[in-house]
Amino acid sequence: MAKLTQEELLAQFEDMTLLELSGFVKAFEEKFEVEAAAPVAAVAVGGAAGGA
């Protein structure tokens, strides 16, 4: 089996629907026993930066 480049993999993902991509992520997590973490946005709390 030939190894795909990162660009080739991304080209394959471009053609997938969100439902297909979601299924792929779930299968990937199960196969490799990992969990994809959602990115967490940093939220600035007013006054936490310590103004002058």
Side-chain angles (χ1 to χ4, degrees):
M1 181 176 184
K3 183 176 179 180
L4 298 176
T5 66
Q6 184 174 0
E7 291 79 21
E8 291 169 329
L9 282 171
L10 288 173
Q12 293 296 314
F13 293 139
E14 283 180 337
D15 295 333
M16 296 175 78
T17 65
L18 288 177
L19 189 57
E20 291 170 329
L21 191 54
S22 177
F24 170 79
V25 170
K26 183 176 180 179
F28 186 93
E29 290 174 330
E30 290 173 0
K31 168 91 175 164
F32 296 104
E33 298 179 357
V34 295
E35 188 173 324
V40 177
V43 178
V45 178

